Amino acid sequence: MAKANMDPKKCPMPVQDPEVRNQNFSEVALGYTAEMAVNEAKRCLQCKHRPCVQGCPVNVQIPEFISLIAEEDFEGAYQKILETNSFPAVCGRVCPQETQCEGRCVRGIKHEPVGIGRLERFVADYHRENVSAKTEEIPSNGHKVACIGSGPASLSCAGDLAKQGYDVTVFEAFHIPGGVLVYGIPEFRLPKDIVQLEIDQLNDLGVEVMTNMVIGRVLSIDELLNDMGFEAVFIGSGAGLPNFMGIEGENLVGVYSANEYLTRANLMKAYRTDYSTPIRLGHKVAVIGGGNVAMDAARTAKRLGAEEVSIVYRRSREEMPARVEEVEHAEEEGIIFHNLCNPIAYEGNEKGEINKMICIRMELGEPDESGRRRPMPIEGSHFETEVDTVIVAVGTSPNPLIKATTRGLETNRWGCIVADENGQTSREGVFAGGDIVTGAATVINAMGAGKVAAASIDRYILSKAAEA
Ligand code: FAD
Ligand code: SF4
Ligand code: SF4
């Protein structure tokens, strides 16, 4: 290993200028050059106890792949990541590294951690741009598995099973596969062609993806298992049902859930000028919430041409669940933050269109069950503000359709499917993972759950075959 680079800071990520990027949908972060990647890789101390690996839900062999980058073996580094993570181009872009791998990095104790995510993205992009990979044909083992949904949980489950020779069919409700990676996360953070490439690689492995297939309506899990020859089913249907606050005026025209707004912007291509997508292009937009979804919605509204976009969040900046980087990017792009503030009603004009938001100021009390200080309204602090669009980003829940149409599937009080640490549900032959089990979480946790379930499905089918 070459001599360590003891620079206390990460090599900065080149980004588009904020004044330019807030008017386009191209990717904000431009990626490292080879020289930057090698320099950043040399910041890694190659720690023997490898704490960073414990912070990664899929155990990417971090010191090893970074060492290969330092030696300028970029393809070797890519192959090393692939041993445990099939989607490095996605994870390098959207993993909340600060709370995962980088959150455990020894260099981060006194200074900035090694830019593990940036390096992962670099090698994945290097591979895509420079290496023409051939997928080897894998002989079928004659067993059929169905995956419901095509988000990161199902895609990683399907990929792992296909690599072992299973005939895998993915059933997706939307007309495009990818789950939140394509309908939620905007183009400027995760370009769709990168996700599509990952899906193409699954197709090359023999995975069949059937779109416009709502399981629970077009087909049921019972039909998949009893009539269509699938020996196991993996449910990776996510948590895409938006929560609302239950306040007056939420039905007014111009009040969106973030899911609907982002789906229109992403899947219905409002981000392209050559498409005429039905979406309200507001002038004064308020986004309610403080998570990644709220940041994505606000930054999308700005790019679609809104004059003023504000985030309305009931706690303070310190409690915001969004990634620090995303909050900073939003601020740079001109998003206004109204923290310690909560809407209590919306009002509309005679056509039923929203034109006013009534808010109340908040203060923080004692910590609640989430460990964060509880926001409490300050009596008499109401104020009104003009808005023509409101985007509500206060969380999502699982859609109850699959539970309602499947016998013997246990769910908890939040509507999440109950599954054990192997992804096994209460129903034999039915496995689940990702947001449908945990509630809204992260891409890499969903991928990790998909991998665990793939291993369980393999054991289950082989043991059934041995019994027969
Ligand atoms: P999903 O990605 O939700 O995929 C589920 C799929 O199942 C969907 O395509 C859905 O259409 C389909 N489906 C649902 N019901 C059915 C049915 N009955 N039949 C067939 N198909 C069905 N995480 C991060 O790690 N980093 C981020 O930066 C980040 N940003 C986010 C931004 C937004 C706007 C959102 C909404 C989420 C973000 N997340 C982020 C969270 C992350 O995307 C999710 O945790 C992850 O996608 C969950 O994966 P999944 O496979 O469980 O479900
Ligand atoms: Fe870090 Fe995510 Fe890569 Fe794991 S997959 S090493 S958490 S960026
Ligand atoms: Fe390198 Fe940080 Fe992991 Fe140590 S903890 S091996 S410095 S990435």
Side-chain angles (χ1 to χ4, degrees), residues 18 42 50 71 105 110 128 133 145 162 176 217 245 266 282 296 308 313 324 350 356 358 423 456:
K42 288 181 180 165
R50 309 155 90 237
E71 291 162 17
C105 174
K110 285 204 179 141
R128 192 176 68 250
V145 178
I176 295 177
R217 291 223 193 290
M245 295 171 66
N266 284 317
D296 283 346
E308 188 185 305
Y313 179 55
V324 175
E350 63 289 348
K356 198 185 283 177
I358 301 152
S456 306

Side-chain angles (χ1 to χ4, degrees), residues 14 23 47 57 87 137 160 163 225 300 305 346 364 368 374 392 401 416 424 427:
Q23 291 169 50
C47 313
F87 304 98
E137 213 167 288
D160 277 16
K163 283 181 201 152
L225 288 171
T300 297
Y346 307 115
L364 294 178
D368 61 16
R374 187 187 298 276
V392 183
L401 178 65
C416 296
Q424 172 69 62
R427 171 89 187 263

Side-chain angles (χ1 to χ4, degrees), residues 108-121:
I109 298 172
K110 285 204 179 141
H111 302 294
E112 286 190 4
V114 175
I116 301 168
R118 294 175 182 182
L119 292 173
E120 188 165 321
R121 167 188 165 147

Side-chain angles (χ1 to χ4, degrees), residues 367-383:
D368 61 16
E369 56 283 355
S370 72
R372 292 178 303 168
R373 292 177 65 195
R374 187 187 298 276
M376 297 185 313
I378 304 175
E379 217 174 295
S381 65
H382 301 75
F383 67 96

